[in-house]
Amino acid sequence: MFVEAGTQDSTRPERSARLGRDFGKLWTASAFSNLADGVGRTAVPLAATTLTSDPVAIAAIGALAFVPWLVFGLPAGMIVDRFDRRIVMAAANTLRAGVALWLAVLAVTGGLTMPSLLIGTLVFGLGETLFDNATMAIVPNVVRRDQLDRANGWMQAAQITIDNFVASPIAGVLFAVSLALPLWTGAVGYLAPIVLALLLPVTAARALRRAPASSDAPDLATGVVAEPVTAPVAPARAILRDALRFLARHRYLRAMVLFTSIIGSCLSFAQAPIVLFFLQTMAVPTYGIGFVTAGIGAGALLGSLIAARLVARFGRGLVMFSATLLSGTMLLATGLAPEVWSAVTAFAISAFAVAIWNVPWGSLRQQIVPAELFGRVLGVIRTLTWGMFPLATMLGGWVARIDLRLPLIVGGAVAIVTTLVAVRLLIVGTREAHAEAEAAATASALD
């Protein structure tokens, strides 16, 4: 599936789709990390249900996972731009492995409490800000620009496949055997990515400078930019002010960040009580939660695999608009579902749409943002977007005290309205920002 990037023949469509050995290493490191993440993501909320049945307390677990993006997203971006990104990935997973081991020991000794789960979730999120930021920043350094949609699709497909089809079912079964068993498994799962990250090439260590623009070029490149050259960015230049200035001057990107913040908050609000929704409202047994999420993951996996082709065929703006509209509609349908199978189907379609959105949105940022600023700009973006998720999640948990269906209904409805209001931004704005150029350039290669 992967060949050496330097040996690719761009004149042959069948080879241009291959992403190279360096991407293969990054993909594998991310896949192993996702295995550990998926086990923990299922095990920790299930462990919390053995300690409390309060929807707000359960929602707090999900909310705290995003708090690090609010308080540490900006420093994480600076770290990723300043230091060796391979070391950052390895250190982040070392931290997460240690926390998983600590929680496993507490579970074995009977000392596991809600505060320890909340602390563990917070530290897991801290490691995630570093690992995910570094991974996203490395992708443009190991594949060509016309391969970004495909590369991001493969990265997301691995995450969804492992989280939902491997990690979640395994975690559910292991949890039924022993509370500590999925935590031990998660701790071991973080070890392989540490080694794999260190095996990445030197080009993945730091950003590559882009070729200088001509003197008559606009202040900001809003679409296709020059290919990078091999001169590394001086670590001393990795300051936050440059990223803030770039984002402040980029009107389209600012508007997209606001839109993404609202839509993401709707999703967080709607999904806050999702575990209790399936356990209590839909009467799914505890051991079956992992298999429910596997069914939902089928939709997300399909979305990841076809997203690049949809973008190439219909354009990035139309695909993003359609995906967010479909996602909100299916969240609403999930809340109104009369029984478990229709609820799982609707939620799976929503996940399918979210997965489609994630691919072009991720590639769009990688195309627009200069490589030497990417870590910091991504940190700013995720602080502004993901930083809102904890509040939305807690609010969703509070509303769920009234009815577990209500957050899904309200969140879906608000997402639909927001998408309809933003139709010009998504379709016309994306085209005017020249963010469609790469999609058009890769259409023939994918065909």
Side-chain angles (χ1 to χ4, degrees):
M1 179 170 62
F2 302 117
V3 297
E4 193 68 51
T7 65
Q8 293 171 340
D9 179 2
S10 60
T11 66
R12 298 181 59 187
E14 67 274 17
R15 297 192 68 191
S16 66
R18 298 176 181 176
L19 300 173
R21 293 177 184 173
D22 292 340
F23 177 78
K25 295 174 187 176
L26 181 66
W27 183 89
T28 306
S30 179
F32 273 100
S33 186
N34 286 325
L35 175 62
D37 284 342
V39 170
R41 194 172 293 115
T42 300
V44 170
L46 286 176
T49 62
T50 67
L51 302 173
T52 180
S53 60
D54 186 354
V56 173
I58 301 299
I61 296 290
L64 276 181
F66 293 105
V67 166
W69 286 103
L70 178 61
V71 300
F72 194 68
L74 299 180
M78 296 176 67
I79 290 171
V80 165
D81 281 346
R82 184 179 180 89
F83 298 102
D84 188 324
R85 289 167 176 172
R86 301 167 300 178
I87 302 299
V88 171
M89 291 173 64
N93 269 11
T94 301
L95 175 65
R96 293 195 283 185
V99 173
L101 181 63
W102 173 63
L103 291 176
V105 171
L106 289 179
V108 169
T109 59
L112 196 65
T113 62
M114 280 300 294
S116 62
L117 287 176
L118 294 173
I119 292 172
T121 300
L122 192 63
V123 180
F124 277 133
L126 180 67
E128 184 180 31
T129 63
L130 293 167
F131 188 90
D132 286 6
N133 198 320
T135 301
M136 288 292 291
I138 288 173
V139 170
N141 281 9
V142 295
V143 300
R144 298 195 312 267
R145 287 176 55 77
D146 62 337
Q147 296 175 319
L148 284 175
D149 283 318
R150 183 172 174 83
N152 287 318
W154 275 108
M155 294 290 284
Q156 183 173 246
Q159 176 184 353
I160 292 168
T161 302
I162 294 170
D163 277 3
N164 295 281
F165 298 113
V166 181
S168 291
I170 288 176
V173 172
L174 293 179
F175 181 82
V177 175
S178 168
L179 176 63
L181 200 51
L183 297 171
W184 289 116
T185 304
V188 173
Y190 283 121
L191 299 180
I194 296 173
V195 176
L196 289 167
L198 298 177
L199 292 177
L200 289 169
V202 68
T203 54
R206 290 195 179 95
L208 302 180
R209 279 202 183 116
R210 298 195 183 279
S214 61
S215 59
D216 58 350
D219 291 338
L220 282 179
T222 56
V224 179
V225 297
E227 289 297 321
V229 294
T230 56
V233 174
R237 292 182 57 86
I239 56 178
L240 183 59
R241 183 176 63 251
D242 295 336
L244 293 173
R245 182 185 298 117
F246 177 86
L247 189 59
R249 295 172 61 189
H250 206 299
R251 183 171 58 185
Y252 167 74
L253 195 55
R254 289 201 317 270
M256 286 295 293
V257 169
L258 176 61
F259 172 77
T260 306
S261 299
I262 297 173
I263 294 297
S265 295
C266 289
L267 296 176
S268 297
F269 176 89
Q271 298 176 45
I274 199 66
V275 173
L276 290 177
F277 171 77
F278 281 111
L279 286 175
Q280 297 182 10
T281 304
M282 295 298 163
V284 175
T286 301
Y287 65 83
I289 287 294
F291 296 97
V292 169
T293 59
I296 295 168
L301 175 61
L302 178 61
S304 295
L305 294 178
I306 71 171
R309 289 187 177 274
L310 291 176
V311 170
R313 182 74 62 187
F314 300 107
R316 184 163 286 118
L318 182 59
V319 168
M320 291 193 296
F321 167 76
S322 302
T324 52
L325 185 62
L326 179 61
S327 177
T329 302
M330 289 299 103
L331 280 180
L332 179 62
T334 303
L336 297 174
E339 39 73 40
V340 63
W341 294 112
S342 58
V344 170
T345 300
F347 200 67
I349 296 174
S350 179
F352 164 81
V354 171
I356 291 176
W357 158 271
N358 284 338
V359 171
W361 172 231
S363 300
L364 185 152
R365 293 174 303 190
Q366 289 165 341
Q367 291 170 7
I368 288 179
V369 180
E372 64 272 17
L373 291 174
F374 188 85
R376 284 162 288 167
V377 172
L378 183 61
V380 173
I381 291 174
R382 286 189 166 173
T383 296
L384 297 175
T385 54
W386 292 18
M388 295 176 61
F389 295 175
L391 177 60
T393 302
M394 292 302 298
L395 184 59
W398 178 78
V399 172
R401 283 180 167 176
I402 303 172
D403 189 325
L404 290 172
R405 294 178 180 270
L406 196 54
L408 288 159
I409 295 172
V410 174
V414 174
I416 292 170
V417 173
T418 302
T419 303
L420 293 175
V421 170
V423 60
R424 178 175 174 80
L425 168 69
L426 293 171
I427 297 179
V428 179
T430 300
R431 183 172 62 248
E432 291 178 347
H434 308 296
E436 301 281 19
E438 293 293 342
T442 59
S444 59
L446 287 174
D447 290 338

